[in-house]
Amino acid sequence: MSEKKTKRRDFLFTATYAVGAVGAAAVVWPMIDQMNPDASVKALASTEVDISSMDPGKTITVLWRGKPVFIRRRTQQEIAEAKAVNLKDLKHPEKDEDRAKNPEWLVMLGVCTHLGCVPLDQKGDYNGWFCPCHGSHYDISGRIRKGPAPTNMEIPEYKFVNTNTIKIG
Amino acid sequence: MSDHEYTPKSKFGKWFNDRLPLLTLASHLTDYPTPKNLNYWWTFGGILTFCLITQIVTGLVLAMHYIAHADMAFDSVEHIMRNVNYGWLIRYIHANGASMFFLAVYIHIFRSLFYGSYKSPREIIWIIGIIIYLLMMAAAFLGYVLPWGQMSFWGATVITNLFSAIPLVGEGIVTWLWGGYSVDNPTLTRFFTLHYLIPFLILGLVVLHIWALHVPGNNNPVGIDIKKPSKDTVPFHPYIVIKDGFALLMFMIVFAFFVFYTPNILGHADNYIEANPLVTPAHIVPEWYLLPFYAILRSVPDKLLGVVAMLSAILILAALPWLDTSKIRSAVFRPLYRQFYWILVADVLILGYVGAMPAEGLYLLVARVATAYYFLHFLVVLPILGYKEKTLPVPLSITEPVLGGSPNLALAKNKENFKD
């Protein structure tokens, strides 16, 4: 046992440091959080897209939250090709059924998962998309097949409002 | 540092200096003993100071006309180019000034590598220099985003996405950096603020860099410790001031050539197309001064490891004073190191070249070999070389080989005795 007793002064020091630390954190956090997306950015959360004029084999690009979304009406041949892929060959294994609820319509974020470029349509070694920035190849289901991207292109939340309209977000 | 007492001559000067010793500082700076054999590779410190001041002054003026808003930034830059009096000149000086700044800093860094200026007792000068270099890259990147052209937008997208490689928190950090779900107006306004801030941070670090330099004094081409002041030194003013001034004039000719004859040669035509978040340019390339690191990033086929490799390539420089185990500073007396030095220079140039080319086929292979060699140089060659290399005899003083004609140690010692 040490003879040193906790003095009134020690208590005051500790209490002061503790209050100071909490106070500093309370001031620093608003300074950090102000950089996060603000209310006006968050408000633009969903977009409705008219798809009535799209023929099979056509891709359109729409802007959602400042990012491009690819909507492709796939041909029967492309659907068959996407389904035929062996999951063992994939870097990020996902079934085509899980990516396109309605197999005719592929709706995905047109953002390369490597460093965020917009891949080019109908390019690359797998008949899907090709990112010109650092050479990632995606298949017709938007799955990464070759190149530095770590994962498949993301599927945003979306639903068919009616047969002619998709709501993203 | 020369510690001689300085007393101002005038009564007012003395009164002032007792209260704020600015005159003592000025006297230290003018009398500062400098090795008398400094060659022109040593003039780039002064040139870099000039570059920093140029960027700050032209940047200040540009900020008076530029509008940091996603809808107006691109047009405001064109407004500067077409309507503002001499706006074209000021913007071209600022844009090419960034390239000139990097040109000078690369020469400055490679001079240090050749003459071993990073070695004891100058490690802190070196590390402050690396921090300045990192801040320069940050400032250059942020500034490149401001015109809001296609390269601005996609460069910003690619570089900020580097942070998404961090496990778990990466995506959150990127959203935080953007202030949204993509690079957009909030990103532009904060980039403008930070671009304005960083040069002043650099200015502060430059003061520390020079302060730390003035403690041991300059290294020199022979790389030996010298007595200060002595017959091996000359006062900074007028000797070094004149030499630096002459070199600066030569540098300004090159600078002016770019500004007046080929102001866009170092930029990309794509940046004269306004930013479009739906279309990525077919070929995204950073500015030339970042190409070697870009090549390293692309040569690794894994996202996280690519980012780690790129950052390590820069940060490894900070560890250089401890990775280089040789006691001899100057490459003049290190015949093997001298060869590896030039291989490294070639390696970095090759990385820069393949960084500008598409990442495929032979270019990718070359980039991988060059990346591997880059790390090999610092992590394997330098540590081993310090133990294995047979170095040449080092002279005792700067004056000795000139007056005595022989760098031979025994002879030099004899002569030293003879003279005294």
Side-chain angles (χ1 to χ4, degrees), chain B residues 93-147:
Chain B
I93 292 176
H94 195 74
N96 286 283
S99 281
M100 293 300 114
F101 206 156
F102 275 96
L103 175 68
V105 92
Y106 282 126
I107 295 174
H108 195 61
I109 290 171
F110 274 100
R111 187 269 288 153
S112 289
L113 292 181
F114 189 84
Y115 293 110
S117 300
Y118 48 84
K119 290 186 197 184
S120 173
R122 296 184 180 82
E123 300 95 323
I124 299 292
I125 313 173
W126 172 254
I127 289 170
I128 292 172
I130 298 298
I131 297 171
I132 293 174
Y133 174 50
L134 277 170
L135 284 177
M136 278 175 64
M137 289 199 275
F141 159 67
L142 294 169
Y144 195 61
V145 175
L146 302 185

Side-chain angles (χ1 to χ4, degrees), chain A residues 8 18 39 46 50 61 72 88 91 95 120 142 154 157:
Chain A
R8 193 179 133 84
S46 68
D50 179 15
T61 307
R72 182 171 179 83
K88 278 183 192 144
K91 190 172 178 181
K95 283 189 197 153
L120 302 170
E154 213 179 305
E157 225 173 89

Side-chain angles (χ1 to χ4, degrees), chain B residues 3-315:
Chain B
D3 288 323
H4 68 279
E5 281 299 312
Y6 170 78
T7 345
K9 285 189 188 80
S10 75
K11 219 175 160 189
F12 174 74
K14 196 173 174 321
W15 177 88
F16 184 88
N17 203 49
D18 285 344
R19 282 150 185 82
L20 180 67
L22 273 185
L23 294 170
T24 304
L25 178 66
S27 150
H28 161 75
L29 292 177
T30 49
D31 296 346
Y32 171 65
T34 321
K36 65 193 209 178
N37 60 340
L38 294 189
N39 55 32
Y40 275 104
W41 301 114
W42 259 266
T43 59
F44 283 85
I47 287 169
L48 283 161
T49 312
F50 164 81
C51 288
L52 178 61
I53 302 297
T54 304
Q55 291 307 88
I56 288 178
V57 171
T58 52
L60 213 70
V61 175
L62 288 171
M64 292 178 188
H65 305 280
Y66 170 78
I67 301 166
H69 188 284
D71 296 337
M72 291 180 268
F74 186 82
D75 290 341
S76 77
V77 171
E78 283 312 300
H79 162 73
I80 290 169
M81 294 301 288
R82 291 152 194 251
N83 303 333
V84 175
N85 300 331
Y86 295 104
W88 60 272
L89 176 67
I90 295 157
R91 174 164 175 262
Y92 278 153
I93 292 176
H94 195 74
N96 286 283
S99 281
M100 293 300 114
F101 206 156
F102 275 96
L103 175 68
V105 92
Y106 282 126
I107 295 174
H108 195 61
I109 290 171
F110 274 100
R111 187 269 288 153
S112 289
L113 292 181
F114 189 84
Y115 293 110
S117 300
Y118 48 84
K119 290 186 197 184
S120 173
R122 296 184 180 82
E123 300 95 323
I124 299 292
I125 313 173
W126 172 254
I127 289 170
I128 292 172
I130 298 298
I131 297 171
I132 293 174
Y133 174 50
L134 277 170
L135 284 177
M136 278 175 64
M137 289 199 275
F141 159 67
L142 294 169
Y144 195 61
V145 175
L146 302 185
W148 211 240
Q150 273 290 67
M151 279 293 172
S152 301
F153 184 89
W154 291 101
T157 301
V158 167
I159 300 296
T160 47
N161 261 308
L162 292 179
F163 291 91
S164 71
I166 303 168
L168 301 175
V169 292
E171 295 292 337
I173 290 177
V174 173
T175 304
W176 177 73
L177 286 173
W178 287 341
Y181 304 105
S182 63
V183 173
D184 210 332
N185 193 51
T187 324
L188 177 60
T189 49
R190 66 191 55 181
F191 275 22
F192 179 55
T193 310
L194 295 173
H195 182 68
Y196 209 122
L197 167 71
I198 289 177
F200 297 98
L201 297 181
I202 294 178
L203 190 64
L205 283 164
V206 166
V207 171
L208 294 184
H209 194 61
I210 296 171
W211 186 1
L213 168 71
H214 279 230
V215 176
N218 290 71
N219 183 30
N220 64 77
V222 184
I224 54 169
D225 291 321
I226 52 169
K227 262 196 244 132
K228 292 167 304 232
S230 71
K231 60 185 191 306
D232 276 346
T233 67
V234 290
F236 187 77
H237 184 76
Y239 297 96
I240 303 297
V241 170
I242 290 295
K243 189 164 186 160
D244 276 1
F246 179 69
L248 180 58
L249 275 175
M250 295 293 117
F251 184 79
M252 283 158 92
I253 291 173
V254 178
F255 197 146
F257 173 80
F258 279 106
V259 170
F260 292 106
Y261 292 94
T262 60
N264 286 308
I265 198 169
L266 299 169
H268 298 288
D270 274 315
N271 223 28
Y272 283 104
I273 303 168
E274 192 168 2
N276 180 355
L278 292 181
V279 181
T280 306
H283 192 52
I284 293 194
V285 188
E287 293 288 80
W288 69 268
Y289 39 80
L290 302 175
L291 286 173
F293 301 109
Y294 193 62
I296 292 174
L297 168 76
R298 294 196 305 183
S299 71
V300 182
D302 180 88
K303 181 172 166 177
L304 179 60
L305 290 180
V307 175
V308 168
M310 184 181 70
L311 288 178
S312 314
I314 304 166
L315 294 179

